[in-house]
Amino acid sequence: MKRQIVIAGNWKMHKTNSEAMQLANQVRIKTMDITKTQIVICPPFTALAPVYEVIGDSRIHLGAQNMFWEKEGAFTGEISAGMIKSTGADYVIIGHSERRQYFGESDETVNKKVKAALENGLKPIVCVGETLEEREANITLKVVSRQIRGAFADLSAEQMKKVIVAYEPVWAIGTGKTATPEQAQQVHQEIRQLLTEMFGSEIGEKMVIQYGGSVKPANAESLLSQPDIDGALVGGACLKADSFSEIIHIAEKLQ
Ligand SMILES: O=C[C@H](O)COP(=O)(O)O
């Protein structure tokens, strides 16, 4: 049986507050019939609280796109897990490849953030994935394993129950190039195997592993039908309520 599918929309650095509230409301209206798929929307920090006002306690969950690991202090420009939680959010994306590429995030900082998120009751969506260069050098598995071992160092199986992994091949993000369902399935299976080795078969079996990288209505079904693909982390296609809700409806039919 398919695990519960989780479709998350990463709005990245898009939408003013009024635009964000409008989009969230459209997504809410267009997904009122959804009962099985878990929906998460991740607007920019500035729009978290206003978007929560719109989605309230509906089945749509709210997530942030990043966080800092310290509780509070002189860290100008940073946002803590507790602050995110106070907006009504219960998810946070950690270690997105854009954070790794442009803001110097490492496996070590990802690990600190994952721990702080869990301590504050936020569910981390932890991103891993190889660059095109790494794929062509045949080191995809090596890179993804290093990222997984680093991100989840010192965590218990109990803590891992709250975690989602998102496999996002960097070469497929925002490029229109999607990994083929077979390419994605292969890496997802390897990630699941590694998680089983690290945390036992229950975690390995139940872990939600999302795919991300140019997911759109046209390719969602073939990706989400793969046995080890349990959801999607959607970028571009989540900025329009029509395409995002279409992906969610495709997911809903597969469960
Ligand atoms: O977090 C989302 C991913 O980076 C995917 O973005 P994309 O769907 O625009 O390729």
Side-chain angles (χ1 to χ4, degrees):
M1 213 184 93
K2 200 92 190 126
R3 292 167 206 92
Q4 186 191 26
I5 296 183
V6 183
I7 305 291
N10 175 7
W11 294 11
K12 306 194 179 182
M13 199 174 75
H14 293 282
K15 309 292 175 189
T16 61
N17 282 1
S18 59
E19 291 165 347
M21 288 165 79
Q22 199 183 2
L23 175 57
N25 196 36
Q26 287 167 346
V27 172
R28 185 182 66 80
I29 293 165
K30 284 178 186 288
T31 58
M32 275 182 171
D33 55 333
I34 299 295
T35 55
K36 299 179 211 136
T37 308
Q38 176 124 346
I39 307 166
V40 186
I41 53 177
C42 304
F45 288 133
T46 42
L48 284 171
V51 164
Y52 189 71
E53 290 295 308
V54 173
I55 56 171
D57 285 330
S58 66
R59 343 124 313 279
I60 301 181
H61 292 256
L62 186 65
Q65 300 172 17
N66 178 36
M67 53 165 274
F68 191 49
W69 58 81
E70 292 289 350
K71 272 200 184 74
E72 60 180 2
F75 303 105
T76 303
E78 291 296 334
I79 308 276
S80 72
M83 291 170 184
I84 292 168
K85 187 79 185 161
S86 75
T87 65
D90 52 357
Y91 281 88
V92 58
I93 298 171
I94 295 180
H96 190 280
S97 66
E98 286 148 18
R99 301 287 324 164
R100 296 180 193 253
Q101 188 181 349
Y102 305 128
F103 303 98
E105 296 212 359
S106 63
D107 296 333
E108 202 186 354
T109 59
V110 168
N111 180 242
K112 288 186 183 185
K113 291 182 180 194
V114 170
K115 287 177 181 160
L118 290 168
E119 276 161 23
N120 286 278
L122 289 175
K123 294 178 197 154
I125 299 177
V126 180
C127 303
V128 297
E130 81 289 2
T131 61
L132 184 58
E133 213 177 25
E134 289 162 342
R135 174 160 282 263
E136 284 173 348
N138 275 325
I139 55 169
T140 297
L141 182 56
K142 191 172 158 200
V143 170
V144 170
S145 303
R146 191 208 69 221
Q147 291 170 332
I148 297 263
R149 287 188 192 280
F152 303 135
D154 311 318
L155 290 191
S156 66
E158 202 47 40
Q159 287 175 303
M160 288 300 288
K161 288 184 182 162
K162 306 261 162 39
V163 171
I164 289 180
V165 172
Y167 168 59
E168 299 206 308
V170 178
W171 49 272
I173 296 177
T175 57
K177 286 186 201 158
T178 327
T180 63
E182 295 72 28
Q183 278 174 324
Q185 164 58 24
Q186 190 189 349
V187 181
H188 279 238
Q189 193 180 9
E190 287 164 347
I191 291 174
R192 198 174 296 289
Q193 221 167 332
L194 176 61
L195 291 167
T196 303
E197 270 168 43
M198 291 172 72
F199 298 103
S201 54
E202 197 196 340
I203 296 300
E205 190 42 47
K206 291 196 178 148
M207 177 67 66
V208 170
I209 308 176
Q210 296 177 316
Y211 170 79
S214 299
V215 175
K216 44 186 182 267
N219 58 26
E221 182 167 358
S222 57
L223 287 160
L224 294 170
S225 311
Q226 298 297 314
D228 289 298
I229 300 184
D230 317 309
L233 182 54
V234 184
C238 79
L239 294 173
K240 294 261 181 302
D242 279 344
S243 44
F244 190 52
S245 89
E246 216 180 307
I247 294 169
I248 293 164
H249 281 90
I250 290 167
E252 186 81 353
K253 277 201 216 117
L254 294 171
Q255 293 162 95

